[in-house]
Amino acid sequence: MTALDVGAKGAKVAGVAKKRRPKNSILNALPWIGPALALIIAVVVWPAIELIKISLTKITSAGALEGFNGLENYRMLFENPDLGAIVMRTLVWVGSVVSITVILSMPLAQLINQNFPGRKFVRWAMIVPWAASVVMTSIVWKWMLELTSGEFNLTLRQLGLQDQPVDWLRDPRYSFFVLIWVAVFVSIPFTTFVLLAGLQSIPNDIIEAAQVDGATSWQIYRGIKFPLLRNALLIATIINLINVFNSFPIIWALTRGGPGYNTDTTITFAYKMAFVEYNMGPSTALGVINFAFIMLIVLIYLRVTKATRGQL
Amino acid sequence: MKKMSLRRLSAIAAVSLSATVLSVMPAQAATTIKVITPNYTDDMPAYYADLNARFMAANPDIKVEHTNLSWDDILVKGRTLVATDSTPDILNLNTFSDYAAQGLLYKAEDLFDAKTLADFVPAFIDNSKYDGTAYAVPDLASARMFFYNKQMLYTSGVKKVPSTWKQVTAAAKKIKAKYPSVYPIALPLGSEEAQAEFAIWAGGNNGRYFDNKTKKWVINSKANVQTMKYLTSLVKKGLTQPSPASTNRTDAFKLFSQGKVAMINASVFFPSTLKDYKSKVDYGIAPFPHSPRGKSITLGVQDYFMAFKKPGNEAAVKAWMNFLFQPANYAGFLKAAGGFIPATKSASTAVDSSLLPFIEQLPNAIFYPGDLGAWPKVAGTLATQLGTGVIYSPKSVLNKIQKVAVAAGTK
């Protein structure tokens, strides 16, 4: 018997098994996937259906439902003159926070992948902003950036760089950029550690081989590490997209989306409409749109992970 | 043997039956009521802990679950609970009318006897009416006045406390010249209470949110646009703190208490706030400045206690509300809340002399249209949007809010 025969036989056996499977496969699998499926239906599918149902219902400011309302809630939402600017801001928010985070995290991941004394401490310190509650981090920033007594303005004044204190969080000229910075600050640890895991999964022998061939460290990074990091980079980007889009506490704790709607994203805007302005109807419509956007990113995520899995 | 066993069986049944009855009885009689209140001051939780302990001792069949929230939180969380069907039994809030309009509340006359009802200050109980019937009761009220830092005003060469808009601008300019790092006048148009700050300035120019005669929203009236333009001019000249559109009342209070702001519109409880902040500012109180077209007003604001209709809770909420408004308990409430105007006539006779200037202003008081079911929605939009009037065009911002108000209706 040759090796080829065994291979052919194996393929045949596999083929038979494959043929038999479709008949009962779902029923057979049910006991295993059933509990997970039930959970998904209970916490994802059902609320999503409820959300869509409510968005088509007339709803009072005290939350009472008053019957089918067609697309009226959506019409009210799209008639809102501020919606366009808020959608644009949301795109800028997600785009800039995610790209700045990823760009800063790449060198940081390189750094903490090196062997140096105190590495353990640096890694530990880096994880703190992520481990701490986002609201807590936001409040610390709020204090630091406070108008008259914040550490930031005091320091600038003592250095003689400022005559009048700047209102970082309340002045709409600065506040959005401050929010972006705090969001980057909070997102960097997670991203860096995902990239670090990616770096550590690169086999050492490839890098050693390149070194033996005389490649410079930049060439090694460009030619070997970066291409092999692609997977980690994609995952980090997409998870950040979802996180940053959904980010509510940073904006709410620092500016409440104000002044007016000047620092609102579609997430904080939906909340503000419902629970500050008691305008429930259009808020439910925006909730559905936010959900659809997240679904879109998840679909892209699934597509991308499928594609990369095929490659590796 | 057979008989015996039967008897035993019935005995066991009887014992177990009575045991169940015993264990069920108290559970059936006990009612739990959820009460949610805002912290007027940090003394409130301790006050309620004591009140509820005494109440439950006197009413062993009622259990009170009390939640104390900050004002900031109760505005959002209190309303969220109602909207998500976790309605409390009793709520203390600054609006009631949309709940009354939706039939969620007990009438005041179902909760209190005629004598207790007659003891509420008439103006305040009138403001608690929706469609002619009181669905809430006032718990306390505030009036507002113009506070100024005496030392700063006098040392800057301001001879007379400003009483007109023109004098405010002139005084602010003098203070700015003398104290460059001080913000002469605080303008808190942030989302915490922009509707109050603007109502005060507009009121002195005959501007209102709602016209009681024509029953129409008048948010973008000429008087209101003029007011917004005047406020914008103060901002443009650098006479206010930076970014008024996102400065909350609490932030402005802190600035005044630290001597970083010289003039501010503030409420009757502000002196006790200043004491809490351990402020050393020597302040004076005066009526609000007004425009040449108007006269000085004060803004009267009251809060409400309301009880939500739920099966089986009527007796318990009634008992709790009446317990709270017993004169001794209500006096304790006012004391813990810190320097507000009492909502009952009996408590008004014993007020602190520091409240008198505010009570004197009450005949000139304007109130929010709090009796309209649409008011909470309009107030929410005013709160978040008014401030942007000093950033963008005053007229377009007021037009935008007017549109929301008109859509919300006048019921």
Side-chain angles (χ1 to χ4, degrees):
Chain A
M1 216 192 250
T2 61
L4 209 73
D5 278 338
V6 177
K9 234 181 195 168
K12 211 176 164 189
V13 171
V16 170
K18 216 173 186 176
K19 233 182 195 170
R20 207 185 282 150
R21 207 179 284 159
K23 273 190 187 166
N24 297 320
S25 70
I26 293 178
L27 273 182
N28 284 344
L30 209 56
W32 282 268
I33 61 169
L37 214 59
L39 198 68
I40 290 173
I41 289 171
V43 302
V44 180
V45 179
W46 179 65
I49 293 172
E50 274 301 296
L51 181 67
I52 293 168
K53 238 169 71 188
I54 289 178
S55 79
L56 301 172
T57 309
K58 189 168 187 209
I59 179 168
T60 70
S61 62
L65 303 178
E66 291 189 335
F68 185 70
N69 202 20
L71 292 173
E72 186 61 15
N73 289 334
Y74 290 86
R75 191 190 59 79
M76 287 199 289
L77 175 68
F78 290 120
E79 266 185 3
N80 190 317
D82 295 295
L83 183 70
I86 292 168
V87 170
M88 274 313 291
R89 187 171 317 108
T90 309
L91 294 177
V92 172
W93 163 255
V94 173
S96 56
V97 173
V98 173
S99 55
I100 298 172
T101 302
V102 171
I103 288 169
L104 290 181
S105 296
M106 290 209 320
L108 279 171
Q110 278 295 321
L111 177 75
I112 58 171
N113 195 31
Q114 302 302 314
N115 233 330
F116 58 88
R119 180 175 78 166
K120 215 172 176 179
F121 178 75
V122 173
R123 282 186 179 182
W124 182 81
M126 271 200 65
I127 223 165
V128 170
W130 182 46
S133 135
V134 181
V135 176
M136 205 168 93
T137 314
S138 304
I139 290 174
V140 170
W141 278 98
K142 192 173 180 176
W143 284 344
M144 284 199 286
L145 296 166
E146 183 54 48
L147 174 65
T148 53
S149 44
E151 204 49 51
F152 201 66
N153 275 343
L154 286 180
T155 310
L156 284 180
R157 221 168 322 150
Q158 277 160 359
L159 291 172
L161 297 171
Q162 196 185 61
D163 351 301
Q164 282 294 325
V166 175
D167 207 349
W168 298 104
L169 289 173
R170 297 195 191 94
D171 191 328
R173 281 175 299 175
Y174 310 112
S175 50
F176 188 55
F177 298 103
V178 173
L179 288 178
I180 289 180
W181 166 245
V182 176
V184 167
F185 178 82
V186 178
S187 310
I188 279 181
F190 169 75
T191 318
T192 307
F193 277 84
V194 170
L195 294 178
L196 177 66
L199 280 174
Q200 285 176 339
S201 70
I202 297 172
N204 230 355
D205 44 352
I206 313 180
I207 291 166
E208 272 165 18
Q211 277 166 343
V212 170
D213 287 345
T216 62
S217 49
W218 176 242
Q219 280 173 321
I220 292 175
Y221 190 77
R222 271 305 324 261
I224 299 171
K225 284 185 181 170
F226 187 70
L228 288 176
L229 263 185
R230 218 185 77 134
N231 217 2
L233 212 53
L234 272 173
I235 291 172
T237 307
I238 287 172
I239 291 183
N240 267 318
L241 278 178
I242 296 174
N243 277 347
V244 173
F245 175 75
N246 277 331
S247 176
F248 177 83
I250 297 175
I251 300 176
W252 203 253
L254 290 178
T255 68
R256 300 248 149 150
Y261 306 120
N262 267 301
T263 50
D264 270 319
T265 64
T266 52
I267 297 286
T268 57
F269 183 50
Y271 185 80
K272 190 184 266 184
M273 268 199 290
F275 298 116
V276 182
E277 299 174 352
Y278 313 130
N279 206 358
M280 297 280 181
S283 173
T284 55
L286 187 54
V288 172
I289 294 171
N290 281 333
F291 180 73
F293 185 78
I294 290 288
M295 286 308 288
L296 187 75
I297 302 183
V298 170
L299 282 180
I300 295 173
Y301 172 76
L302 291 177
R303 259 286 166 75
V304 165
T305 46
K306 213 172 176 185
T308 49
R309 204 180 300 139
Q311 259 181 19
L312 286 175
Chain B
M1 198 59 192
K2 207 180 169 190
K3 231 178 177 177
M4 179 71 181
S5 84
L6 206 71
R7 219 159 64 196
R8 250 173 74 181
L9 207 69
S10 57
I12 292 167
V15 166
S16 63
L17 194 72
S18 63
T20 7
V21 169
L22 275 177
S23 67
V24 164
M25 275 288 281
Q28 254 176 353
T31 320
T32 302
I33 52 169
K34 279 191 281 179
V35 180
I36 301 184
T37 59
N39 291 337
Y40 288 100
T41 67
D42 293 340
D43 298 335
M44 295 306 285
Y47 165 76
Y48 280 123
D50 169 62
L51 182 87
N52 288 324
R54 286 188 290 115
F55 176 75
M56 284 190 274
N59 301 275
D61 54 338
I62 303 175
K63 200 169 160 259
V64 182
E65 274 176 21
H66 199 113
T67 312
N68 296 285
L69 293 172
S70 78
W71 262 113
D72 224 18
D73 284 337
I74 201 166
L75 292 177
V76 176
K77 198 175 166 190
R79 296 200 59 107
T80 309
L81 285 174
V82 178
T84 52
D85 262 351
S86 322
T87 314
D89 297 271
I90 293 173
L91 185 60
N92 180 194
L93 204 66
N94 59 351
T95 54
F96 78 100
S97 53
D98 58 338
Y99 297 151
Q102 288 164 37
L104 302 176
L105 303 179
Y106 284 113
K107 290 178 186 167
E109 62 189 46
D110 294 339
L111 299 171
F112 296 97
D113 58 33
K115 196 177 146 234
T116 318
L117 273 183
D119 192 34
F120 286 109
V121 174
F124 298 151
I125 198 90
D126 280 349
N127 286 324
S128 313
K129 284 181 179 163
Y130 171 75
D131 218 8
T133 308
Y135 283 92
V137 290
D139 64 323
L140 44 73
S142 68
R144 304 182 185 218
M145 290 184 85
F146 186 71
F147 285 67
Y148 56 92
N149 183 320
K150 280 185 185 166
Q151 181 258 339
M152 263 176 206
L153 239 66
Y154 298 148
T155 51
S156 310
V158 180
K159 303 239 159 48
K160 196 175 137 269
V161 180
S163 66
T164 64
W165 287 4
K166 223 179 196 167
Q167 289 169 8
V168 169
T169 314
K173 277 183 179 159
K174 281 185 181 162
I175 295 165
K176 184 94 199 158
K178 172 85 182 179
Y179 300 101
S181 67
V182 163
Y183 309 121
I185 183 151
L187 191 60
L189 290 174
S191 59
E192 187 183 341
E193 227 190 8
Q195 76 275 26
E197 183 71 14
F198 187 76
I200 291 166
W201 289 102
N205 190 37
N206 296 326
R208 302 284 187 273
Y209 293 135
F210 186 78
D211 188 331
N212 277 320
K213 282 196 197 101
T214 60
K215 300 281 169 219
K216 281 198 173 111
W217 290 104
V218 287
I219 293 167
N220 60 350
S221 67
K222 205 174 148 207
N224 286 348
V225 174
Q226 277 169 348
T227 308
M228 192 64 94
K229 279 185 179 155
Y230 170 70
L231 296 178
T232 310
S233 77
L234 290 177
V235 178
K236 290 262 159 69
K237 287 174 190 145
L239 301 175
T240 67
Q241 87 285 5
S243 32
S246 23
T247 305
N248 279 332
R249 180 177 77 161
T250 319
D251 308 328
F253 286 174
K254 283 184 185 148
L255 290 173
F256 185 87
S257 77
Q258 298 159 358
K260 284 169 181 155
V261 151
M263 300 179 278
I264 190 168
N265 293 333
S267 189
V268 60
F269 60 83
F270 193 41
S272 82
T273 310
L274 287 174
K275 224 176 266 166
D276 280 353
Y277 289 161
K278 305 207 169 16
S279 169
K280 293 189 182 72
V281 170
D282 182 16
Y283 61 86
I285 303 175
F288 285 128
H290 55 89
S291 83
R293 293 167 290 274
K295 64 179 180 62
S296 183
I297 50 96
T298 187
L299 176 69
V301 176
Q302 68 179 80
D303 297 329
Y304 306 90
F305 261 104
M306 64 204 88
F308 286 84
K309 279 189 212 162
K310 279 199 218 170
N313 76 343
E314 186 170 355
V317 296
K318 202 172 161 176
W320 195 88
M321 292 275 247
N322 280 285
F323 191 71
L324 173 74
F325 280 100
Q326 279 174 14
N329 291 338
Y330 184 57
F333 173 85
L334 286 172
K335 188 162 176 257
F340 279 93
I341 297 172
T344 66
K345 291 182 212 159
S346 52
S348 303
T349 54
V351 294
D352 196 79
S353 63
S354 66
L355 291 180
L356 291 177
F358 292 89
I359 294 177
E360 270 166 31
Q361 289 293 314
L362 279 180
N364 307 324
I366 57 170
F367 288 92
Y368 295 136
D371 54 338
L372 300 177
W375 171 244
K377 203 172 187 172
V378 177
T381 309
L382 284 167
T384 63
Q385 297 306 306
L386 266 174
T388 56
V390 298
I391 305 177
Y392 309 119
S393 132
K395 195 158 186 166
S396 69
V397 169
L398 291 171
N399 280 341
K400 189 167 91 182
I401 306 173
Q402 168 80 7
K403 225 175 138 190
V404 172
V406 169
T410 54
K411 274 266 160 139

